[in-house]
Amino acid sequence: MIGVFDSGVGGLTILRGLVRELPGRSFVYLGDNAHAPYGDRSPEEIYRLTLAALERLFGLGCRLIVVACNTASAVGLRRLQQDWLPRAHPGCRVIGVLVPMVEAVTGVPWSVPLAPAGRPLGAARTVAVFATRPTVESGAFVREIGKRAPEISVVQQACPRLVPLIEHGGSAAALREAVEHDVDALLARTHGAAPDAAILGCTHYPLVQPLFAAALPAGVRLLSQPAVTAASLRAYLARHPDLDAAHPAPARFYTTGPADAVAGLAARFYGQRLAFQRAPG
Ligand code: DGL
């Protein structure tokens, strides 16, 4: 059983990609809706809440967890993997959504999707990152891209209006205006130069991906986080067969928040209504 964690319902966009790519696996999803959005929280709060959520998923019997939240992956994951996990849950693994995107954009060998023209994504020289404020402030995308491909220049843009607008069912016009505002702000910092690739570094942004595609200059490659994460998880399981207990079962959905309200919101992110239960513990 593979755990999938997010601050709320946004990680369902990632889960959908995982279920599509790995239909033979069973997944258990946990949304920390009682404390979402993480984009409004401090790094210490995000670390503490992520740790508590991972404990819940380990308590449900997971040995491998995908942190499908960019904010939690960017802010807390490295520290959790280094300081806490080996001590608290030896033999268990937690992976995030940030590194797969970085590997895709820098062209590190495994799980690197090719651009439509067959050009490796590693050919990018300027990469735009759109994300929540804590993700941008963590510098994690810049740091991880820099480690693998220091020649790539990374331009970041925090988009604090987008998550609340998407969750509260903002109108198409309001969403378009917010995306255009964020893209314009980023392009102002590149003096109008188009990036080669753009990372939508937040679980919610696949829902407005066509708006980003329309607002960005033509030819910018948009990386799809659900597809990239799914390809990366497939490769990870091939390298760690001990963590790949393939016994198909329908996914289960837990939340720390009110199950009915969360199920209503979740349908928009997953494309169908899901039976959420209150998380144990
Ligand atoms: N899941 C978060 C992310 O991917 C977005 C929602 C939030 O701020 O909690 O960054």
Side-chain angles (χ1 to χ4, degrees):
M1 195 164 57
I2 301 169
V4 178
F5 161 66
D6 179 49
S7 55
V9 288
L12 291 167
T13 59
I14 309 282
L15 178 68
R16 219 169 149 198
L18 302 184
V19 169
R20 231 176 247 163
E21 175 79 14
L22 298 158
R25 311 314 193 282
S26 62
F27 293 96
V28 52
Y29 183 89
L30 172 63
D32 190 13
N33 295 82
H35 305 105
Y38 282 13
D40 292 342
R41 293 189 174 274
S42 70
E44 201 49 41
E45 284 176 313
I46 294 166
Y47 176 84
R48 196 173 41 74
L49 291 169
T50 304
L51 190 154
L54 295 178
E55 281 291 15
R56 285 179 194 260
L57 281 169
F58 285 130
L60 288 166
C62 299
R63 290 184 56 228
L64 170 64
I65 300 172
V66 179
V67 175
C69 175
N70 289 268
T71 306
S73 296
V75 173
L77 186 55
R78 202 160 55 144
R79 188 171 145 205
L80 286 164
Q81 285 166 330
Q82 287 172 356
D83 299 352
W84 170 75
L85 188 65
R87 213 172 9 88
H89 297 278
C92 294
R93 293 283 183 276
V94 181
I95 57 178
V97 279
L98 197 130
V99 165
M101 290 299 266
V102 168
E103 290 177 340
V105 87
T106 57
V108 170
W110 57 268
S111 85
V112 183
L114 294 179
R119 193 158 65 107
L121 289 169
R125 286 292 165 269
T126 307
V127 172
V129 174
F130 296 94
T132 65
R133 200 181 292 291
T135 297
V136 166
E137 286 174 358
S138 76
F141 273 110
V142 179
R143 189 174 57 239
E144 295 297 329
I145 290 174
K147 267 194 224 160
R148 291 164 177 82
E151 72 282 7
I152 291 181
S153 83
V154 183
V155 191
Q156 301 193 96
Q157 178 63 41
C159 313
R161 281 198 292 161
L162 274 184
V163 165
L165 257 180
I166 293 170
E167 290 205 356
H168 297 132
S171 69
L175 287 165
R176 186 176 321 106
E177 191 278 317
V179 168
E180 283 172 357
H181 171 274
D182 292 331
V183 169
D184 287 349
L186 180 123
L187 292 175
R189 272 183 286 114
T190 65
H191 307 291
D196 297 293
I199 290 177
L200 300 186
C202 172
T203 49
H204 288 51
Y205 302 171
L207 270 66
V208 287
Q209 186 160 330
L211 298 180
F212 272 101
L216 283 161
V220 177
R221 288 193 304 274
L222 266 183
L223 277 89
S224 151
Q225 195 155 44
V228 168
T229 308
S232 171
L233 179 61
R234 174 182 283 288
Y236 187 88
L237 291 173
R239 295 199 313 278
H240 298 88
D242 56 309
L243 293 170
D244 189 10
H247 58 92
R252 284 186 285 145
F253 301 90
Y254 292 98
T255 175
T256 57
D260 278 349
V262 170
L265 184 59
R268 222 175 316 138
F269 288 79
Y270 203 73
Q272 69 186 73
R273 204 173 161 88
L274 302 167
F276 267 87
Q277 310 170 47
R278 192 66 187 235

